[in-house]
Amino acid sequence: MITVNIKRYNPETNKQYMESYEIEHTDKMKVLDALQQINDKYDAKIAYRYSCRAGQCGSCAIKINGQAKLACKAEINDNDTLEPLDFKVIKDLIVDRSPLNKKVNDLNLYMASESNEKLLEPEIIKPETYAQTEALRGCIDCYSCISMCPVIKKSTEFIGPYFMRAFSDLSFDPREDTSKSEDAIDSGLYSCTSCGQCSKTCPKEIDIYGKGIEKLRATAFARKEGPLEAHKQIRESVINTGRTVQPMEDSKYPEGFIKAYNQTHTFEEKPKIAFFTGCMIDNRLPWIAEYLINILSKLGYEVDIPEQQVCCGSPLFRTGQVDVIPSLIKKNYETFKDYDIVLTVCAGCGSTLKNNYPEYDAKLNVMDITEFLQDKLKTEDMNKLDLKVTYHDPCHLVRGQGISKQPRKILNNINGVEFIEMEKPDQCCGAGGGVKSGKPELAKSLADSKVDMIDELDVDYVVTICPFCEFNIQDSLTNKNSKTEVINLMELLNKAYE
């Protein structure tokens, strides 16, 4: 027997309420089967949609334990909670899809040639010209991506990932005469935080952000329609200095951490390890690099920090300014290619080096610092800290690199640290995708939602491992006069080893 919890809604009383049901469980039982068994056993009259039962129609999409999934494909487990998608509810698990359907019709999301010429012969389309749009095909109109998108809940401008995918599909199709990039800009193209939630949610595994929104931004850049002015300034900084940001003059490291470090090692009978600092750690948070080096030294590891490294290109990838990318990749690859391990302490850098660089034939053995440290720390060697902490999952770490358990394993092994999980640790804080620089009010609104979760826990610190998340969340904590502060995982570990 298993228990299934269902969020129900009675339109006659306009009330939502939870009900729990016990049912017989069979191997690989689907959520849809469970719903049918509940109705049969209890005459519960739970309202839900379904049609094909094969994951092709999208009609049975609901939230299962907070994640949008297809009821016909997801397996049911004990104590699962089933809820409707985040739209207006008609009854129980059925939501009103009509506003979205109307928007689809109003936007004319279909190919329309501007040419009046009749083709005398069939047009030949080569497979390579179709590859970009093919990656975006397969959408079954379940609208799960819209339900899970954090931005659409905060922005009236952003039309949502479903529509951005459609704009991208049409723009990249060789049979389409016009680009939809201008329509996309008018619909909030630069409001997307690149959190990747839509891509993770999509039941057809369409990479809506990476293959759609990001490429559409590149199209807008090529057509001189975008990006935002703040994004252009970042590109100019990278072109002129190799960095997105410059060192702080009043810092302990006025020329950045890398130039101050200036050490190379022979790595006798040890793995050759290099540290890719990223722009923010090198120039704005240099003490994080210092802590990382101290911790690795205590564990017996030597680390090079090559001075020739430049920006990884993440902010340029995210905003579509890809013309500068090849030169950055070439320089970084030549700098790091002979190392056994390249460590990162920035989620965005790590995700870019792991996911984007191989597309340019520049594969490096990149490890986030939590991957490297997870099995190397010893609690008995640490000071007792007596702290309560929670953890924020950076989007480019949890979804970009699939790293979630490693930082939690480390936190649970730090002497005297009580780790408390927040309600939605992987919800985007709003700092990514150029939103912090280009649309700061939207970034603030998303961060405020994150801080509301943090403040419920009464913790000393919220730990993270992304400099952009650090700044954005801390700004919100400060504005809300919260007693909780943001701390980088390296700084927390350094406290334990001091």
Side-chain angles (χ1 to χ4, degrees), residues 239-253:
I239 290 172
N240 294 329
T241 69
R243 290 299 197 196
T244 58
V245 294
Q246 305 312 307
M248 297 177 291
E249 293 182 0
D250 58 348
S251 168
K252 176 182 175 182
Y253 303 101

Side-chain angles (χ1 to χ4, degrees), residues 251 361 366 458:
S251 168
D361 295 322
V366 180
D458 190 30

Side-chain angles (χ1 to χ4, degrees), residues 176-190:
E176 175 66 37
D177 286 346
T178 60
S179 171
K180 294 287 186 180
S181 52
E182 281 191 284
D183 291 337
I185 291 172
D186 293 339
S187 300
L189 177 62
Y190 294 103

Side-chain angles (χ1 to χ4, degrees), residues 105-140:
N105 292 331
D106 292 345
L107 288 171
N108 298 323
L109 297 178
Y110 52 81
M111 284 184 290
S113 174
E114 293 184 350
S115 173
N116 292 321
E117 296 181 10
K118 291 184 178 180
L119 293 174
L120 299 178
E121 296 181 4
E123 185 177 1
I124 304 300
I125 299 176
K126 296 180 179 180
E128 57 267 25
T129 64
Y130 187 68
Q132 196 171 8
T133 188
E134 189 174 29
L136 297 165
R137 295 291 169 90
C139 175
I140 56 175

Side-chain angles (χ1 to χ4, degrees), residues 53 58 75 105 111 147 158 161 166 178 202 213 253 293 298 305 329 351 356 389 437 439 441 451 455 488:
R53 299 182 65 94
E75 293 185 9
N105 292 331
M111 284 184 290
S147 176
F158 187 52
T178 60
C202 179
I213 295 173
Y253 303 101
I293 297 300
K298 289 180 184 295
I305 309 181
I329 291 178
S351 180
N356 296 113
V389 306
S437 59
K439 294 182 178 289
E441 288 304 312
V451 167
D455 279 343
N488 188 286

Side-chain angles (χ1 to χ4, degrees), residues 14-16 22 52 76 92 121 127 140 193 218 304 316 328 333 350 412 417 456 488:
N14 193 30
K15 289 185 178 180
Q16 281 189 312
E22 285 192 348
C52 72
I76 192 73
D92 295 336
E121 296 181 4
I140 56 175
T193 63
D304 278 357
L316 303 179
L328 299 177
Y333 181 69
N412 283 314
V417 165
E456 289 179 0
N488 188 286

